[in-house]
Amino acid sequence: MASWYINRTFFFDVHPPLGKMLIALSGKLSGYDGTFPFEKPGDKYDGARYQGMRLFCTTLGALVIPLTFLSIWEMTKSLEATFIGTLLLLCDVGFMTLNRYILLDPILLFFMSCSIYGCFKVSTLTNDGLLPFSPRMLSWQIFLGTSLACTMSVKFVGLFVVLFVGLRTVADLWNILGDLSKPVKFTITHLIVRTLTLIVWPFVLYVFFFWIHLTVLSKSGNGDGFYSSGFQARLEGNSLHNASAPRVLAYGALVTLKNHRTGGGYLHSHHHLYPAGVGARQQQITTYTHKDENNRWQIKPYNRERVEGTVVVRSGDLVRVTHAPTGRNLHSHRERAPLTAKHLQVTGYGEDGVGDANDVWKIVISGGKDGEEIQTVRSKLMLVHYLQACVLTTTGKQLPKWGYEQQEVSCNPNLRDKNALWNIEDNVFDDLPKVSFESYASGFLERFYESHAVMFQGNSGLKPKEGEVTSQPWQWPINYRGQFFSGSTHRIYLLGNPVVWWTNLAFLIIFFLVYIINSIKEKRAEAFGVSRQVGEGSLLLNAAGWTFIGWALHYIPFWAMGRVLYFHHYFPALVFSSMLTGILTEYLLSSVRSYLSPELGKTAYHCIIGVVISTTVYSFYLFSPLAYGMSGPLASEPNSTMAGLKWLESWEF
Amino acid sequence: MDTGRCVKNRKINKIRKEVTEPQEYSYSEKTCNSHREVGDGAPAENETEKPELMLTNKMNHSPSRIYLQLKIDVIAIGLLILALCTRLYKLDEPRHIVFDELHYGRYVSLYTKGVFFFDAHPPLGKQLLYLAGSIAGYDGNFTFDRIGTPYTDNVPVKALRLVPAVSGSFLVLITYFLMLELSLHQWTAILAALLVLLENCFLAQSRFMLLESIQILFGLCGVYCIIKSTKRIGLTALVWLCAAAVLLGCCFSVKYSGLYTYYLSLFLVGRHIWLQLDQIKSGTRLLFSALWRFAVLLIIPLAVYVSVFYMHLSMLPKAGPHDSVMTSAFQASLQGGLASITHGQPLHVAHGSQITLRHTHGRTCWLHSHAHVYPVRYADGRGSSHQQQVTCYSFKDVNNWWIVKRPDQASLAVSRPPDAIRHGDIVQLLHGITSRALNSHDVAAAVSPQSQEVSCYIDYNVSMPAQNLWRVDIVNRDSEESTWDSIRSLVRLVHVDTGSGLRYSGRQLPAWGFHQHEIVADKVLSHQDTIWNVEEHRYTKADDRKERERELVTAEMIPTAVTQLTFWEKFTELQYKMIAHAPDAPHGHMFASEPAEWPLLVRSIAYWLSPDSNAQIHLIGNIVTWYTGTISVVVYSALLAIYSVRKRRACEDLPPFVLNKFYETGYTLFLGYWLHYLPYFFIDRTLFLHHYLPAYIFKILLLAYIMDHIYLVLQLHEKTKHVTNLFILCVTIWLSYIVLTFKKFSVLNYGNVDLKENDLMSLRWKDTWDFILHKKI
């Protein structure tokens, strides 16, 4: 991806641009020239200078650890909790594997950790009673806002951390509000400052990153097809760049019609008939994504062959559309479409533009009024069949071999189909003055908006196919199955350190129980007037509660997602989960300690901490080959170096 | 429901009359009771539930006289009659198949005939329809082929539609009681009931063989009982809770969306226990009260659900059109169908057995091979072994037969006694028609290159030896020694040389493989696509190849044991299939809608269009109620936020009882609404407006509650007190407007009026509503 930035060619990806831009920047600085193709995993870097980019990603990934340390410290002020939480993350093999390569995840995790740290710092400062406009407060808030914007601009999962910070901020404001010694105005100033620094500022940054993205990528590339004509007109090297055409559509003009769905092709026909058994044996109509002479159509009034002079086509007019190279009319009739049973077939019919009443279409601007002029590129058109009252659509399904694997065009009786919108791209008509395409080219905001629409569509389009093995959310916390990172001789396998992961899992459940029991106890104590000492315990439990919320926010939404999921989606949640384990261990240990005599308590406490640390470190040592690379036979065979470590049947190393 | 018998002290013994003026608010349970004793028109039902109290009253005041009196709640009866009138009016018109009657009617026919079918929804609703049909003497001989087909005389349309219609009518009644139970004013309860009564979408949904009204009725009754139970203690609470549990079980046995109502009830009970925490001092009593409540709520609905399925399975003993969805074992347990083929086939697979191997879970297909080879090079340039193709074929075919052979024995005839194959044995599988052995080797498979290719071995003399030994792993074995049984045993065939398992990959082969499904050998054994079972099975008698082929083509059975499945096995399998079943509903249905469009009633659903006039039926809401409902949700959220902030700043604007009611009643309804609505945003399926109805009824209740709340707040302050009359006037005007809209749109519910084009245009209040017009030609 970084190569595209360095070569400045336009591409399409489902993630926002910041992560890729940073990688490209680090590549550029370390002398990478953008020529390596990056085709598939396992390819050798033949002399390409990838080290700089890798170093950059790994550094960011490594910085997550100290940031986590600081965050837990900020929350609990307990060295033991902080230490254990961070150690778990440090000794996780999967976390290390993920952070060692040129991926978006280390960058995402880095910014996410910055946000978490910033968030807790801000809330500590608030609790200390700092005024909203004090420089320290303000600078931390801006730091938090910046990290949030960066997280969001690397991957959309950054949205969850935004939610987390949002919740935390609401909780802070709620606390301030509850302080009856301060006037309401005080809360409102806090609210305003936070809106500015945590909503407005990140949004501005986010838009700015997109601005860079769209400005840097000024050349035409392989991602063009996903975007509309107006978007493409901005790209150097695209045929629409610097082209010119009349502004409005007139009868007799030669045009190409582009479908408005993302990746939609041009309305196309060719000298081939639908095969026997597929509706009427008339000429095929398809959509085709490449530019071709066969995409040209001529617009005529429905009752005459030609019009004298220049008559502009208006919305609501009845027209015939003739395929220029073959002279057949766009036609539809009561036969089922080749692939979509409920639609009608669309064919090319007639000789040299002479056909029948089924060739009449009503041309309508979507959302416009009757009588509006039809404009090149700008107008979204619908072609409604006059007799059958159906609308020309492309279903996006590929025709079999007889249709050259182009896409099906049909007539849909449902006039609200979103795939029924077309726009005119080329428009050849000599009697009207030509306008440069530059004037149609969309402005930055339109392009910003469109690239989001396309990204979301791309994201939701990533559906698992039947029979394909996808990773499912329930498998993640139990470390059920990993993910292959590289080839067969020097194997790297992304899998969490089972000791760490299973401990985390257990502590999530323990937390749930502890929390319920504690709140029941509290409620009863309050009601029956039994005094309970509130101390460090409640601080720890509160911190644990927040990390639990963070974990839930980064994990549960995946259950509701329809797209393809991967194992590495769990890692942001893992950060929270490790923090929770650290904090809760300390909480449990200190409450156990309070039941024992001071001497015994101290000994037990130190023993347990020692055991925890040594187990974690040893398990890291055991599983580290997963990250540093394994060779030799698979672990299922007895002579492998990893024999005996295959604790679960489902692990594939 | 409508009448209550009660022993009570002397004063009131006349039939109650409807009150004409709103009484002043009764501010607590206590005062409320005292009011009732004077007889101011509170419903009688509430009193019937307190026999102990009444009894003590009687003891104290009038020990000598005992009256038995009959009380009738005129309001309730009136509402019910109104509802029945609207719902039952010309119920058998139109005598055509309307919308989903197509499916439900078909299921009723299948029930009548006892033929097994598969549906992704639980069966209770369909069983109720069937019950009505069988009482009316329906014989099941009508093919529900498409929407709009006229019914013949043998279909008791009226009886079938009666079930939803009556449920829909009682829905009005239960809203009334539910609102009273939520301790709201009687007028509010009447208002809520009227709103439901005058709601076109409930009318349309109740008049046809559809399940929503049944589901909502069960759900609301369940919630009603839950609330009753939380207000009482001891045995009465238990009785109400059990009733609630049964109703809720019924609710989600009609449609799975009933589960949301169940969650709401769990929440209500949980909240009740939470509130008890600081009231009951004894820890054991508290624990006990929590335990029995959750036990009842967990066990009874589940028992209801299971017994509904028990009935379902015992009502449908015959094989039918959906058999192929189920596993061989399941199919074989039905009468006819596969059972008639496999009936009497030998049980133990032995050396020389002729078998068909079915892919057990997921897509139905059989291990298949044919006399065509893999192409030398694939489209992407990779090479293949050029050996005979092995595929998974979805239809029965003579090429699906395989012969099990022990590697060391030459003769294929089954010895006597048969040499049974056991778990862990090594076998070869010979393809019946071509006599080639099932083989796998280190060549990438055609479509899934990460797995090994599976072929039938042809020796090309290219130093590629046969690797045709497979180990039989019986997945559901009882012991290590267990035999390989036909139908019952689930086996995994593990390739001996590489340790890979024979697996269905889920992908289709291109044209050279006749678009059949790909078979591979995969390293990951635990995948459920590696599981196979023997479906048809017989012993080879002749040793000669020609003879064997003749045997295959003219199949003939040797009678022995029959397959039996227990109820639990069938139940779990059916559940699994229902969960895994991905509905291939047509995407982009003309009248499908998005959850986000529902609150503003963007789309309607066309249910039926008369073949010869423009009379038509639509599912469309009463737009006035609909919009005010949406506003009420916004108002409630806003009030919730304002009140919380005010409370946080320690400003007490409202007396605690108003606020408590705002939280408790409001929460129930507000949460009920979101619980039934939000999940649809995450469902990746074609959705329709009628999915919104369970949420919508909570919204109507919330709307009525908001009215109540505003009235109450206006009453509280001296300054605003005089505005209350104005408010009542507004509500009356609004209500009459609702009546008018209801009347105007009811033509689209009854479908008995031929609408002219301009009539339709005048009904088309929103551009996005699509009505249908016959074209005049």
Side-chain angles (χ1 to χ4, degrees):
Chain A
M1 290 289 183
S3 308
W4 301 118
Y5 277 105
I6 292 171
N7 297 333
R8 309 192 74 174
T9 50
F10 193 76
F11 66 93
F12 164 72
D13 186 35
V14 294
H15 299 300
L18 181 68
K20 288 159 286 181
M21 290 197 298
L22 287 175
I23 296 177
L25 184 70
S26 65
K28 187 104 182 169
L29 291 179
S30 62
Y32 170 65
D33 53 3
T35 45
F36 187 72
F38 286 101
E39 262 171 357
K40 59 177 193 287
D43 281 358
K44 280 230 160 50
Y45 287 110
D46 288 323
R49 303 187 54 151
Y50 66 94
Q51 294 91 342
M53 293 190 275
R54 221 178 240 187
L55 185 69
F56 170 72
C57 287
T58 313
T59 316
L60 288 189
L63 280 175
V64 174
I65 307 286
L67 279 168
T68 310
F69 185 89
L70 288 173
S71 310
I72 309 181
W73 174 253
E74 206 56 55
M75 276 189 281
T76 60
K77 306 284 183 206
S78 146
L79 196 59
E80 290 86 350
T82 312
F83 183 67
I84 294 172
T86 318
L87 184 76
L88 285 174
L89 208 55
L90 182 65
C91 291
D92 184 46
V93 186
F95 200 72
M96 182 170 81
T97 316
L98 194 66
N99 287 340
R100 274 167 57 87
Y101 302 98
I102 308 176
L103 299 170
L104 293 181
D105 298 88
I107 307 176
L108 174 79
L109 286 167
F110 170 72
F111 286 124
M112 192 190 89
S113 308
C114 285
S115 311
I116 300 169
Y117 177 50
C119 162
F120 286 111
K121 189 81 193 171
V122 167
S123 83
T124 328
L125 290 179
T126 321
N127 286 343
D128 291 348
L130 244 66
L131 293 173
F133 280 114
S134 62
R136 225 154 86 86
M137 189 80 183
L138 215 54
S139 51
W140 274 110
Q141 286 193 5
I142 288 173
F143 167 74
L144 174 57
T146 315
S147 325
L148 282 183
C150 293
T151 324
M152 266 300 285
S153 326
V154 174
K155 270 190 178 187
F156 281 123
V157 282
L159 198 66
F160 301 138
V161 91
V162 174
L163 270 177
F164 177 74
V165 172
L167 280 179
R168 185 65 244 200
T169 309
V170 168
D172 278 349
L173 289 173
W174 192 246
N175 284 338
I176 301 171
L177 189 69
D179 184 0
L180 293 180
S181 62
K182 301 261 168 55
V184 187
K185 230 172 102 189
F186 184 68
T187 315
I188 293 177
T189 4
H190 262 295
L191 180 69
I192 291 170
V193 174
R194 276 170 208 226
T195 322
L196 285 177
T197 52
L198 302 186
I199 296 175
V200 178
W201 166 241
F203 184 73
V204 170
L205 266 184
Y206 180 75
V207 175
F208 175 67
F209 291 138
F210 262 90
W211 182 78
I212 299 180
H213 170 74
L214 293 176
T215 324
V216 168
L217 300 177
S218 54
K219 291 182 196 158
S220 165
N222 64 357
D224 291 12
F226 288 98
Y227 294 88
S228 67
S229 316
F231 199 107
Q232 293 184 24
R234 281 270 177 201
L235 300 170
E236 277 168 48
N238 191 297
S239 61
L240 289 182
H241 190 69
N242 285 336
S244 62
R247 194 178 57 83
V248 290
L249 176 69
Y251 282 111
L254 277 178
V255 297
T256 57
L257 285 165
K258 185 177 196 297
N259 191 272
H260 224 269
R261 67 192 272 269
T262 45
Y266 300 96
L267 190 69
H268 180 95
S269 183
H270 40 226
H271 268 297
H272 296 273
L273 305 183
Y274 284 106
V278 184
R281 272 189 69 90
Q282 294 169 5
Q283 188 166 302
Q284 297 172 14
I285 307 280
T286 61
T287 59
Y288 185 53
T289 36
H290 300 279
K291 305 214 164 166
D292 182 334
E293 196 49 35
N294 272 329
N295 297 345
R296 289 186 177 273
W297 299 83
Q298 191 170 29
I299 310 280
K300 296 174 184 170
Y302 73 103
N303 48 3
R304 280 165 294 164
E305 250 327 277
R306 62 186 74 252
V307 191
E308 296 305 315
T310 310
V311 182
V312 175
V313 185
R314 290 171 190 278
S315 174
D317 283 3
L318 295 179
V319 297
R320 271 178 308 152
V321 184
T322 308
H323 187 231
T326 60
R328 309 244 189 238
N329 287 337
L330 190 68
H331 173 100
S332 180
H333 47 213
R334 284 216 163 271
E335 288 278 356
R336 47 164 290 193
L339 300 178
T340 315
K342 290 200 169 159
H343 295 186
L344 304 183
Q345 189 192 22
V346 175
T347 63
Y349 181 72
E351 289 276 336
D352 292 331
V354 183
D356 65 6
N358 267 331
D359 299 347
V360 179
W361 299 82
K362 185 168 160 185
I363 193 164
V364 182
I365 296 182
S366 167
K369 290 194 198 74
D370 276 6
E372 266 179 56
E373 292 177 345
I374 289 173
Q375 301 187 357
T376 317
V377 179
R378 290 252 173 94
S379 305
K380 291 178 189 169
L381 303 175
M382 287 204 298
L383 283 168
V384 182
H385 195 260
Y386 185 60
L387 290 182
Q388 309 295 352
C390 56
V391 63
L392 187 76
T393 28
T394 171
T395 53
K397 295 178 193 163
Q398 232 177 34
L399 293 171
K401 220 170 207 165
W402 54 256
Y404 304 94
E405 275 143 24
Q406 294 169 6
Q407 291 176 341
E408 183 195 35
V409 168
S410 64
C411 198
N412 190 346
N414 180 5
L415 303 186
R416 298 189 192 285
D417 195 317
K418 292 188 190 91
N419 291 338
L421 297 178
W422 303 80
N423 71 284
I424 290 172
E425 193 165 292
D426 295 346
N427 181 4
V428 183
F429 192 74
D430 294 334
D431 293 348
L432 279 173
K434 285 189 176 177
V435 188
S436 161
F437 254 101
E438 283 295 307
S439 59
Y440 303 128
S442 14
F444 167 69
L445 280 182
E446 274 171 64
R447 303 208 303 161
F448 176 72
Y449 178 77
E450 188 182 333
S451 48
H452 275 82
V454 172
M455 264 191 284
F456 281 119
Q457 210 154 357
N459 245 328
S460 58
L462 291 173
K463 289 265 163 64
K465 296 178 195 78
E466 194 196 349
E468 204 170 44
V469 185
T470 52
S471 180
Q472 280 163 347
W474 64 264
Q475 300 175 342
W476 301 343
I478 52 176
N479 206 11
Y480 182 75
R481 174 176 293 163
Q483 199 173 325
F484 274 112
F485 260 41
S486 85
S488 53
T489 49
H490 184 78
R491 288 186 311 273
I492 289 160
Y493 188 65
L494 176 70
L495 182 78
N497 180 344
V499 175
V500 173
W501 285 53
W502 294 339
T503 323
N504 280 344
L505 185 65
F507 272 85
L508 284 170
I509 298 163
I510 293 174
F511 169 75
F512 197 67
L513 296 177
V514 166
Y515 190 79
I516 288 182
I517 292 170
N518 212 50
S519 44
I520 289 177
K521 264 188 183 167
E522 210 163 85
K523 183 155 168 101
R524 285 177 66 80
E526 210 173 277
F528 303 118
V530 186
S531 66
R532 298 177 74 229
Q533 74 273 31
V534 190
E536 202 186 344
S538 80
L539 178 72
L540 282 173
L541 205 61
N542 195 14
W546 278 106
T547 47
F548 185 78
I549 291 175
W551 172 81
L553 272 178
H554 281 82
Y555 175 55
I556 291 170
F558 285 105
W559 284 86
M561 276 188 204
R563 59 163 282 178
V564 183
L565 298 171
Y566 298 103
F567 183 53
H568 66 245
H569 285 147
Y570 185 66
F571 282 85
L574 180 76
V575 175
F576 282 103
S577 169
S578 303
M579 287 187 185
L580 176 69
T581 310
I583 297 169
L584 205 60
T585 317
E586 167 64 14
Y587 173 79
L588 289 178
L589 283 181
S590 49
S591 37
V592 166
R593 195 178 175 181
S594 64
Y595 289 115
L596 301 173
S597 66
E599 274 302 302
L600 189 64
K602 201 170 176 187
T603 324
Y605 184 80
H606 286 277
C607 285
I608 295 175
I609 295 239
V611 170
V612 169
I613 292 172
S614 48
T615 324
T616 320
V617 174
Y618 181 64
S619 66
F620 173 73
Y621 166 74
L622 274 183
F623 283 95
S624 59
L626 288 178
Y628 295 126
M630 303 165 279
S631 44
L634 290 167
S636 49
E637 287 145 42
N639 54 352
S640 157
T641 46
M642 299 301 284
L645 284 180
K646 202 175 162 160
W647 294 351
L648 278 189
E649 272 297 295
S650 52
W651 294 348
E652 298 147 320
F653 50 85
Chain B
M1 274 265 168
D2 324 309
T3 59
R5 264 157 211 260
C6 170
V7 190
K8 223 190 146 222
N9 55 14
R10 45 217 167 331
K11 270 191 185 161
I12 336 133
N13 54 358
K14 57 178 187 262
I15 292 175
R16 286 173 188 249
K17 287 266 149 53
E18 205 174 315
V19 256
T20 45
E21 272 296 307
Q23 297 293 317
E24 69 178 278
Y25 266 82
S26 31
Y27 284 150
S28 70
E29 267 307 306
K30 270 266 165 57
T31 44
C32 188
N33 271 337
S34 65
H35 275 295
R36 280 178 201 171
E37 277 172 19
V38 200
D40 68 344
E45 272 62 28
N46 284 5
E47 276 141 306
T48 60
E49 314 313 340
K50 295 198 165 176
E52 299 105 322
L53 181 79
M54 302 309 163
L55 214 63
T56 46
N57 273 356
K58 193 195 71 179
M59 291 306 194
N60 293 342
H61 300 298
S62 53
S64 57
R65 302 164 84 177
I66 297 172
Y67 284 101
L68 190 68
Q69 68 179 80
L70 185 72
K71 292 193 295 175
I72 297 172
D73 191 334
V74 174
I75 300 173
I77 291 285
L79 284 172
L80 184 65
I81 289 173
L82 270 179
L84 284 171
C85 287
T86 48
R87 267 63 176 168
L88 297 182
Y89 173 70
K90 287 193 182 165
L91 191 60
D92 53 348
E93 273 182 28
R95 277 191 77 88
H96 297 264
I97 299 179
V98 176
F99 197 57
D100 274 353
E101 285 190 347
L102 179 70
H103 301 295
Y104 299 124
R106 192 182 286 156
Y107 294 142
V108 169
S109 301
L110 290 172
Y111 266 123
T112 317
K113 293 182 190 156
V115 171
F116 178 79
F117 63 87
F118 175 80
D119 183 28
H121 298 293
L124 183 64
K126 287 162 272 181
Q127 286 168 347
L128 288 176
L129 290 182
Y130 158 69
L131 195 68
S134 68
I135 290 172
Y138 176 48
D139 56 2
N141 288 325
F142 180 74
T143 42
F144 289 80
D145 53 353
R146 58 186 191 80
I147 297 174
T149 315
Y151 286 115
T152 51
D153 283 338
N154 64 345
V155 186
V157 184
K158 214 162 186 166
L160 287 174
R161 285 183 184 163
L162 199 65
V163 181
V166 170
S167 316
S169 312
F170 276 100
L171 195 60
V172 176
L173 203 62
I174 192 69
T175 41
Y176 174 69
F177 288 127
L178 180 64
M179 289 308 266
L180 282 179
E181 198 52 44
L182 284 167
S183 61
L184 293 175
H185 195 264
Q186 195 174 15
W187 280 104
T188 317
I190 296 174
L191 179 68
L194 279 180
L195 288 179
V196 174
L197 178 74
L198 298 174
E199 179 49 70
N200 299 72
C201 62
F202 289 123
L203 179 61
Q205 205 68 8
S206 319
R207 282 177 54 83
F208 306 102
M209 301 171 208
L210 304 170
L211 305 182
E212 271 77 11
S213 57
I214 307 177
Q215 179 215 330
I216 299 174
L217 180 71
F218 277 132
L220 282 194
C221 288
V223 172
Y224 172 74
C225 295
I226 289 276
I227 293 171
K228 278 247 176 213
S229 120
T230 53
K231 287 186 177 170
R232 279 160 185 73
I233 45 160
L235 198 62
T236 23
L238 178 66
V239 172
W240 279 112
L241 195 68
C242 290
V246 172
L247 287 166
L248 289 169
C250 291
C251 178
F252 67 76
S253 306
V254 175
K255 274 203 160 191
Y256 283 125
S257 58
L259 276 174
Y260 303 130
T261 322
Y262 178 64
Y263 298 147
L264 176 70
S265 310
L266 281 184
F267 168 79
L268 288 176
V269 172
R271 189 181 150 83
H272 175 63
I273 293 166
W274 178 253
L275 291 176
Q276 278 188 334
L277 280 182
D278 48 9
Q279 278 160 11
I280 301 175
K281 197 141 194 196
S282 144
T284 38
R285 239 188 83 201
L286 190 68
L287 193 68
F288 180 69
S289 114
L291 276 184
W292 71 254
R293 278 168 210 274
F294 279 115
V296 165
L297 262 192
L298 232 58
I299 294 166
I300 295 186
L302 215 62
V304 170
Y305 182 72
V306 171
S307 52
V308 163
F309 267 93
Y310 185 78
M311 283 199 290
H312 177 72
L313 288 173
S314 55
M315 277 158 86
L316 303 172
K318 295 182 198 153
H322 298 164
D323 282 12
S324 61
V325 182
M326 313 306 289
T327 57
S328 315
F330 194 100
Q331 289 182 41
S333 68
L334 298 169
Q335 295 164 16
L338 185 67
S340 61
I341 303 173
T342 58
H343 175 74
Q345 67 185 14
L347 183 65
H348 302 306
V349 175
H351 168 76
S353 280
Q354 300 173 358
I355 56 171
T356 60
L357 268 176
R358 183 189 194 262
H359 172 232
T360 305
H361 301 297
R363 191 185 174 86
T364 312
C365 62
W366 291 270
L367 190 69
H368 178 98
S369 181
H370 38 229
H372 295 270
V373 290
Y374 287 108
V376 183
R377 292 225 166 267
Y378 298 124
D380 58 356
R382 286 182 297 118
S384 81
S385 65
H386 200 50
Q387 294 180 354
Q388 182 171 310
Q389 297 171 11
V390 171
T391 65
C392 202
Y393 187 50
S394 308
F395 302 95
K396 301 222 167 180
D397 188 89
V398 71
N399 270 323
N400 295 351
W401 285 97
W402 298 82
I403 301 169
V404 181
K405 173 177 176 294
R406 285 196 188 272
D408 46 355
Q409 289 182 23
S411 159
L412 280 180
V414 174
S415 60
R416 213 159 274 269
D419 174 15
I421 309 285
R422 291 173 189 279
H423 172 69
D425 285 1
I426 309 278
V427 298
Q428 290 173 332
L429 285 175
L430 297 186
H431 183 240
I433 298 292
T434 60
S435 285
R436 296 205 162 107
L438 188 72
N439 181 63
S440 180
H441 39 220
D442 189 17
V443 173
V447 192
S448 324
Q450 68 275 23
S451 308
Q452 283 185 173
E453 182 190 89
V454 173
S455 64
C456 272
Y457 185 69
I458 305 175
D459 194 359
Y460 289 120
N461 269 330
V462 285
S463 68
M464 200 183 240
Q467 305 180 354
N468 53 15
L469 298 182
W470 300 84
R471 194 178 71 240
V472 178
D473 254 350
I474 298 173
V475 181
N476 57 345
R477 61 184 179 269
D478 307 320
S479 67
E480 292 305 307
E481 281 292 282
S482 67
T483 49
W484 183 5
D485 298 345
S486 63
I487 295 185
R488 198 182 295 157
S489 295
L490 305 179
V491 297
R492 190 173 282 139
L493 291 169
V494 182
H495 191 232
V496 173
D497 294 293
T498 57
S500 306
L502 188 74
R503 177 182 161 183
Y504 160 83
S505 76
R507 296 193 177 85
Q508 261 180 318
L509 296 173
W512 55 257
F514 308 98
H515 301 291
Q516 294 172 6
H517 287 263
E518 186 196 33
I519 292 291
V520 299
D522 193 348
K523 288 228 158 40
V524 185
L525 293 180
S526 57
H527 200 280
Q528 66 161 3
D529 277 336
T530 58
I531 294 177
W532 300 82
N533 69 282
V534 170
E535 189 163 283
E536 291 174 62
H537 175 215
R538 57 180 175 257
Y539 289 154
T540 312
K541 279 169 288 179
D543 210 10
D544 179 53
R545 186 175 162 185
K546 281 275 160 337
E547 196 67 14
R548 269 202 325 267
E549 277 177 27
R550 201 169 313 125
E551 244 179 69
L552 281 175
V553 179
T554 60
E556 187 193 335
M557 301 299 153
I558 314 161
T560 37
V562 193
T563 313
Q564 283 291 346
L565 277 188
T566 63
F567 164 70
W568 287 106
E569 281 170 320
K570 283 176 154 188
F571 176 72
T572 40
E573 186 189 331
L574 193 57
Q575 290 302 307
Y576 177 74
K577 293 278 174 182
M578 284 167 82
I579 293 166
H581 176 70
D584 30 40
H587 265 277
H589 185 280
M590 183 138 178
F591 289 97
S593 48
E594 302 273 317
E597 297 170 347
W598 295 339
L600 293 179
L601 195 63
V602 175
R603 307 280 292 144
S604 63
I605 310 176
Y607 271 12
W608 174 79
L609 173 69
S610 159
D612 38 43
S613 72
N614 278 327
Q616 50 192 299
I617 293 174
H618 282 261
L619 178 72
I620 198 163
N622 186 330
I623 196 156
V624 183
T625 322
W626 207 281
Y627 272 44
T628 31
T630 306
I631 294 171
S632 76
V633 173
V634 177
V635 169
Y636 185 82
S637 326
L639 286 178
L640 193 66
I642 293 171
Y643 289 164
S644 318
V645 169
R646 294 290 292 174
K647 199 177 167 200
R648 186 76 184 164
R649 292 301 298 182
C651 303
E652 306 287 342
D653 309 306
L654 294 174
F657 71 91
V658 181
L659 213 53
N660 272 347
K661 203 194 262 180
F662 180 79
Y663 286 131
E664 273 177 35
T665 310
Y667 255 32
T668 313
L669 303 177
F670 193 61
L671 196 76
Y673 172 65
W674 287 110
L675 261 181
H676 286 84
Y677 178 42
L678 270 189
Y680 286 104
F681 282 96
F682 306 107
I683 290 181
D684 195 22
R685 243 192 3 202
T686 314
L687 293 173
F688 293 96
L689 186 66
H690 58 73
H691 288 122
Y692 185 58
L693 295 182
Y696 183 55
I697 195 143
F698 280 99
K699 198 167 165 180
I700 291 188
L701 300 187
L702 186 67
L703 168 62
Y705 169 69
I706 289 286
M707 296 290 177
D708 182 274
H709 183 72
I710 293 175
Y711 178 77
L712 205 56
V713 171
L714 289 179
Q715 282 269 307
L716 275 176
H717 297 283
E718 280 305 319
K719 275 188 206 161
T720 49
K721 221 167 190 174
H722 60 275
V723 192
T724 41
N725 288 329
L726 188 67
F727 176 70
I728 291 175
L729 185 70
C730 287
V731 171
T732 322
I733 293 171
W734 169 70
L735 201 61
S736 44
Y737 196 47
I738 286 177
V739 176
L740 288 179
T741 331
F742 172 71
K743 197 158 171 295
K744 192 168 166 63
F745 279 94
S746 62
V747 289
L748 291 177
N749 301 132
Y750 294 113
N752 53 356
V753 180
D754 183 9
L755 297 163
K756 299 279 168 308
E757 189 176 345
N758 44 3
D759 292 339
L760 276 176
M761 285 319 283
S762 75
L763 285 176
R764 196 164 179 250
W765 288 9
K766 292 188 96 159
D767 273 352
T768 46
W769 291 351
D770 292 328
F771 297 132
I772 312 169
L773 208 59
H774 277 292
K775 210 172 254 169
K776 286 158 292 220
I777 300 168

